[in-house]
DNA sequence: TCCGCTCGTCGAAGCGCTTCGACGGCGCCG
DNA sequence: CGGCGCCGTCGAAGCGCTTCGACGAGCGGA
C-alpha cells in the first residue's frame, strides 16, 4: 500500500483515483464527463478504480470549476387554498425526472420570497429554477427575467413573453366538462370553484377554468352558476345546497379537497349521483377513482406536467430554444358520476 | 470607474468586493463569517460594498473551501399509504427552519434508495440528512450509520442506538384517545387504522398507535377492535360498517385521509356523531377543525416535529450532543365529536 | 520516406472562497 | 519608559475539480 495523500475528509478525491489507475487527473475527469475520447482500456481501468475506491466527485468543487451545479430549484407555494396532493405529485415528479437528467432538486418555499430566489441564483447554488403556483401578475416574474437564469413556470402568468410555462389547459378543461354535461342534457351547470382567496390572488388556473366553463356554456346555450368555495366541510355543504337551490343539475368541482365533502353533502341532501345530480371533477386521477361513485373527471396530470417542466428546463440549460407556453390537452374520463338529468341512463 | 477583473460570470466575486472596499480578500471573508474581530469602520465599509455590488458568495466555492455546504437533505417517502398533507407540512416546516439556520434543503425521494443517499453524502452536496417515514427495520438506517454524516430520523426504527429520532409519541397518543373514550363510558372501542401495507412495512407510527390503544384499553378494561383500512371511500365505509356491527361505540381514526369518508359513512349509516358514535382522530389539526362536526383529536404536530428535527440536526452539525429519541407528548383537544355513549351529554 | 493528421493522454492554470500564520501598531503593566 | 500581548488586517496556500493547450505516437497519402 503506497502512502497516499492524507485525505483529510476521508473521501477519496480524483487525485486518488488517478494515482490508483495510473493516469493523469484530467484523464479521470474526461472519463467521467466524456468530453474527450478515451481508449477503452484506460476507461475501464479508471472506472474500476472509481468503483473500488468508492469515489464520488465533490459537488462543490465541480460546481466551482465547471460553473454548473447540477441542481435545480423548485419553488413551492405554501399558501392557503393550495391543493396539497397535486403539489406533492408535482414535486415528486420533478425530483424523479431531474435525477434522470443527473440533477438534484433544491426545495424553496415561496415565503422566503424574491430574496430567496436571488440568493440561490446569484450564489450559483442552482442552475435553473422551477416555479409553481404562478399568479396572473406575479411579483417573481420580473425578478426571474432579471436574474437571467433559465427557468420554467408551472402555471401561467398574464404576460408570458420571454418566459417558459407549462400547465394543464384549464380553459379547455372547463370547456370539456361543460360540454360533457351539456351533451347529456344538463341546462344549468354549477361550478364549485376554488377558495375566494385563490381568485383574488389571480391564480391562473382558477380563472382559466372559469373562463372555459363560461365559454362552453355560452356555446351550448346553457346557464352556468359559478361560486368560489372554501375548503371546510361546512362551507362546501352550504355552497352545494346553494347551487342546488339555484336549479343546478350538473356540477363541476375543481377544488380537489372539496370533492369528498361535496359528495357527502349531496348524499346528505338526499340527492343521488348521478341520478339526481351529475358531478364532474377536475382533480388528480386517484381522487376521482377512489371516490364513490367513481367520478367522471378531467385528471390534472401533475406528474406529466412536472416531467415536462424538467425537460423544458434541461433544454434551456443546454441552450436549446423552447416554446413559450406548453398547454397539455385535457382528457375527460367518463366514470359513474354523470348521466342525463332526471335519472335517465346516459 | 477603475477597470476590474473581467468577471466572466457576471456576478461580482469576493475579489471585487475587497477591491471596492479597499481591503484584503480575507478581511471580507472574516466580515462575512465573523470568525475574527473586525473594526466597526472596516466592517461597515465592506458591508456597504457588498450591498452596492450585489455580491452573493459562490456556494460551491464556499463549500469547497470550508467543507460545509450549508445544505441538508430531506428524504421524503413517495409510497402508497403516506399521509400527503402531513408530509407536506413537515417539508415546509423543515425548509423554513433550515433557512433560519442559514441552510438550504435538498429534496430527495426515497425511491432513489440508498444509492441516492450515498451519492449525496459522499459528494459533499449536503452536510446532514433528514429522513422521513422510517420503518421499524429500515434498510437505510445501517447505511446512515456507515455514511457518518449527521442525520435525524423523523419516525422511530426498532433499534435507535446511535441514532437521533423525533416523532409524536404515537403510543401515548393511542392511549390518550382510548382513555378519553373510556372515561366517557365507552366499553368497546374501534381503531380505524392505516392501510394494511403500512403495517406490513413495519412503519413505526402505525404500530405504536396500535400498541398504545391496546394498552389503554386493557388498563381501562375495555374492549378494542382494531382493523387496517385502505384509503378509498368504499373501503372506509365497509370498515366502519364492520366496526359498528361489532358493537363499537367509540372510534379512533388515525388515517387522516379516512377521516372525511368515515364521517360520511357514519352519516350514511344513520349514526349521529357524537350521539350514537364518538370519534377521536389522530391527524393534523386543520383537518379535525374543518370537519363537521369538529373533531376531538390528538393533533399530529408536523410543524413542530419538523422544527425539532432541524434543530437537532443543527446541534449535531455543531458537534453538540443530542438525545437519541425525542418524543413529543400528545395533547388531546376535545371538540364536538365525542360524548358519552347512548346520547347522554358528556 | 517524410509530412501532417488524428487520437489519447498529460500538465497546469484557474474557479471563488476559507483559513492559517504573520505582522505592524497600540495600550497596558510593571 | 520598555516590553508584552492583543487587535485588526494582510498574503498566500490550498479545497477538488474542469478545461485548455501541448505533445508523443501511430497512420495514411504523396
Amino acid at each position: 500500500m503506497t502512502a497516499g495523500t492524507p485525505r483529510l475528509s476521508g473521501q477519496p478525491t480524483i487525485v486518488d483515483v488517478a494515482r490508483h489507475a495510473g493516469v493523469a487527473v484530467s484523464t479521470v475527469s474526461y472519463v467521467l464527463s466524456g468530453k474527450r475520447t478515451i481508449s477503452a482500456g484506460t476507461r475501464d481501468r479508471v472506472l474500476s478504480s472509481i468503483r473500488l475506491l468508492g469515489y464520488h466527485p465533490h459537488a462543490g468543487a465541480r460546481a466551482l470549476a465547471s460553473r454548473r451545479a447540477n441542481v435545480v430549484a423548485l419553488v413551492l407555494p405554501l399558501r392557503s387554498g393550495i391543493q396539497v396532493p397535486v403539489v406533492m405529485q408535482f414535486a415528486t415528479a420533478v425530483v424523479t425526472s431531474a435525477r434522470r437528467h443527473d440533477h438534484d432538486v433544491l426545495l424553496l418555499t415561496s415565503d422566503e420570497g424574491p430574496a430567496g430566489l436571488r440568493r440561490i441564483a446569484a450564489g450559483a447554488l442552482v442552475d435553473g429554477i422551477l416555479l409553481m403556483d404562478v399568479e396572473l401578475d406575479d411579483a417573481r416574474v420580473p425578478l426571474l427575467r432579471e436574474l437571467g437564469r433559465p427557468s420554467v413556470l408551472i402555471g401561467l402568468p398574464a404576460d408570458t413573453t420571454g418566459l417558459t410555462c407549462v400547465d394543464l389547459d384549464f380553459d379547455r378543461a372547463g370547456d370539456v366538462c361543460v360540454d360533457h354535461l351539456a351533451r347529456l342534457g344538463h341546462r344549468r351547470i354549477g361550478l364549485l370553484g376554488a377558495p375566494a382567496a385563490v381568485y383574488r390572488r389571480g391564480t391562473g388556473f382558477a380563472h382559466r377554468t372559469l373562463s372555459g366553463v363560461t365559454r362552453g356554456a355560452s356555446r351550448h346555450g346553457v346557464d352556468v352558476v359559478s361560486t368560489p368555495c372554501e375548503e371546510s366541510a361546512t362551507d362546501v355543504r352550504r355552497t352545494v345546497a346553494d347551487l342546488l337551490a339555484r336549479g343546478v343539475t350538473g356540477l363541476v368541482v375543481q377544488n380537489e379537497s372539496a370533492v369528498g365533502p361535496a359528495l357527502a353533502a349531496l348524499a346528505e341532501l338526499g340527492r343521488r349521483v348521478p341520478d339526481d345530480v351529475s358531478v364532474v371533477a377536475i382533480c388528480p386521477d386517484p381522487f376521482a377513482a377512489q371516490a364513490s361513485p367513481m367520478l367522471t373527471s378531467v385528471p390534472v396530470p401533475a406528474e406529466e406536467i412536472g416531467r415536462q417542466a424538467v425537460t423544458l428546463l434541461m433544454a434551456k440549460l443546454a441552450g436549446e430554444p423552447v416554446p413559450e407556453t406548453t398547454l397539455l390537452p385535457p382528457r375527460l374520463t367518463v366514470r359513474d358520476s354523470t348521466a342525463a338529468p332526471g335519472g335517465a341512463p346516459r
Side-chain angles (χ1 to χ4, degrees), chain A:
Chain A
M1 215 171 281
T2 42
T5 322
R7 293 177 273 112
L8 291 174
S9 67
Q11 295 295 338
T13 73
I14 199 172
V15 175
D16 299 312
V17 174
R19 191 180 319 115
H20 185 271
V23 300
V25 163
S26 48
T27 302
V28 176
S29 177
Y30 287 124
V31 166
L32 253 21
S33 70
K35 292 195 179 171
R36 286 202 184 172
T37 46
I38 297 287
S39 69
T42 306
R43 183 180 29 254
D44 292 350
R45 208 141 31 86
V46 169
L47 287 178
S48 67
S49 295
I50 287 179
R51 229 163 299 140
L52 205 95
L53 299 179
Y55 167 72
H56 287 267
H58 187 290
R62 186 180 275 221
L64 180 55
S66 68
R67 319 189 139 275
R68 290 288 247 99
N70 274 39
V71 175
V72 301
L74 174 63
V75 187
L76 291 189
L78 267 180
R79 305 182 278 205
S80 62
I82 63 152
Q83 322 230 33
V84 177
V86 177
V87 170
M88 201 69 182
Q89 273 185 64
F90 274 129
T92 59
V94 165
V95 172
T96 309
S97 347
R99 282 305 310 146
R100 217 163 263 135
H101 294 268
D102 195 34
H103 280 244
D104 278 292
V105 175
L106 198 81
L107 186 61
L108 295 188
T109 56
S110 42
D111 64 343
E112 215 197 329
L117 276 184
R118 182 166 263 127
R119 179 177 55 82
I120 291 292
L125 232 186
V126 303
D127 304 320
I129 299 174
L130 251 31
L131 209 58
M132 283 199 57
D133 194 40
V134 179
E135 301 172 7
L136 284 179
D137 183 18
D138 201 297
R140 300 165 299 180
V141 168
L143 175 63
L144 229 44
R145 302 194 216 255
E146 172 200 333
L147 287 178
R149 290 231 172 237
S151 59
V152 173
L153 312 196
I154 294 173
L156 256 54
D159 176 16
T160 61
T161 324
L163 303 174
T164 307
C165 311
V166 200
D167 207 349
L168 173 65
D169 192 335
F170 278 97
D171 186 287
R172 279 178 55 203
D175 189 350
V176 164
C177 292
V178 170
D179 185 75
H180 174 66
L181 291 172
R183 281 175 199 278
L184 285 171
H186 294 271
R187 312 308 304 160
R188 202 169 172 79
I189 291 167
L191 171 64
L192 193 81
V198 172
Y199 289 99
R200 243 181 284 114
R201 266 204 311 262
T203 301
F205 83 94
H207 286 273
R208 284 184 284 135
T209 307
L210 177 52
S211 85
V213 164
T214 311
R215 181 160 37 75
S218 76
R219 198 178 66 242
H220 282 282
V222 306
D223 291 342
V224 50
V225 185
S226 141
T227 119
C229 177
E230 305 309 312
E231 292 182 330
S232 74
T234 327
D235 202 65
V236 172
R237 191 179 322 118
R238 202 189 40 236
T239 308
V240 169
D242 177 49
L243 288 174
L244 293 180
R246 291 160 81 175
V248 159
T249 61
L251 214 50
V252 178
V253 182
Q254 81 161 314
N255 187 341
E256 100 208 346
S257 64
V259 168
L263 289 177
L266 286 170
E268 211 169 292
L269 293 165
R271 311 294 182 102
R272 288 161 305 163
V273 174
D275 310 1
D276 304 321
V277 179
S278 286
V279 175
V280 185
I282 303 178
C283 73
D285 228 23
F287 261 75
Q290 278 189 8
S292 130
M294 305 211 300
L295 298 177
T296 294
S297 72
V298 172
V300 176
E303 218 179 291
E304 197 188 333
I305 296 178
R307 255 201 322 268
Q308 275 278 356
V310 170
T311 307
L312 286 167
L313 186 55
M314 291 301 145
K316 288 185 88 167
L317 286 175
E320 298 159 17
V322 299
E324 245 174 28
T325 74
T326 307
L327 286 182
L328 302 179
R331 298 174 304 102
L332 181 84
T333 305
V334 177
R335 296 205 181 82
D336 309 334
S337 65
T338 47
R346 56 179 133 99

